[in-house]
Amino acid sequence: MVTPEQVKQYIAAGLTCEVLEVSGDGHHFEAIIVAKAFDGLPRIRQHQMVYQVLGERMREEIHALSMKTFSPHEWKNRP
């Protein structure tokens, strides 16, 4: 079973993050991801980048991932 720490490592290996928090129960995970690479991108494209980093793990190891993604500017200015 995959742990939240492993999911965090998978994301960090493919995406430089300023903030990366992952929680979950081994099947369903929640993540908060702040990355400079998200600057100027719509939310859907940000999520696609994370899914791309995770690749086949999304089919084989991770059953569900709910994420909140932000650029550093969005993170700093969030309500």
Side-chain angles (χ1 to χ4, degrees), residues 8-36:
K8 186 175 178 177
Q9 290 171 1
Y10 297 156
I11 294 169
L15 187 64
T16 301
C17 302
E18 293 188 17
V19 176
L20 179 55
E21 300 173 9
V22 179
S23 61
D25 63 8
H27 297 287
H28 301 90
F29 298 92
E30 296 177 354
I32 295 174
I33 306 166
V34 179
K36 186 164 177 55

Side-chain angles (χ1 to χ4, degrees), residues 2 6 12 14 18 22 38 42 52 59 63 67-68 79:
V2 179
Q6 286 173 301
E18 293 188 17
V22 179
F38 296 157
Q52 186 176 12
R59 289 193 188 104
H63 298 283
M67 65 182 116
K68 294 180 181 176

Side-chain angles (χ1 to χ4, degrees), residues 52-72:
Q52 186 176 12
V53 165
L54 293 171
E56 288 299 312
R57 290 185 171 106
M58 282 304 300
R59 289 193 188 104
E60 299 169 2
E61 299 176 44
I62 303 166
H63 298 283
L65 174 64
S66 171
M67 65 182 116
K68 294 180 181 176
T69 57
F70 304 90
S71 69

